[in-house]
Amino acid sequence: MTINKNVDIIREDNKDYLNVNSKNRLIAQLICSSAEAIYDFHIPFGQSVDKKTVEEMKGTYWVRVPNSDNFKYNEDVTIAVL
């Protein structure tokens, strides 16, 4: 899967970052239960992707939810793996 603004989760090194703006209810529940900081896309992923992708993903926000790491999601959850 390619990275775009509709991706629910970005998985990097077995760590999951959830899209704060996800429309998926499961993802929204996980985010609400998290006390982690929210990051603009470029902070966790700026070194892992090209500048064009960073620019395209501007305005998306991500939260790390440790209890979701490597979780097996239903097919309605979109995951991009870096």
Side-chain angles (χ1 to χ4, degrees):
M1 158 121 319
T2 59
I3 295 173
N4 62 56
K5 292 186 178 189
N6 296 318
V7 168
D8 296 311
I9 297 169
I10 295 177
R11 184 169 286 166
E12 181 178 39
D13 297 328
N14 297 323
K15 295 178 185 171
D16 290 352
Y17 292 85
L18 282 57
N19 186 341
V20 172
N21 297 320
S22 175
K23 304 297 184 226
N24 186 288
R25 283 192 274 170
L26 170 63
I27 302 304
Q29 289 173 345
L30 287 168
I31 291 168
C32 287
S33 68
S34 173
E36 295 287 321
I38 295 173
Y39 301 102
D40 191 285
F41 178 84
H42 77 278
I43 294 173
F45 308 114
Q47 300 298 316
S48 302
V49 299
D50 57 68
K51 286 186 176 196
K52 181 181 178 214
T53 302
V54 170
E55 191 61 33
E56 289 173 358
M57 296 299 288
K58 196 173 198 170
T60 63
Y61 300 93
W62 302 82
V63 62
R64 173 136 157 56
V65 180
N67 63 345
S68 74
D69 288 347
N70 281 328
F71 187 80
K72 300 286 185 196
Y73 295 95
N74 291 336
E75 58 275 351
D76 64 330
V77 175
T78 55
I79 300 175
V81 179
L82 295 181

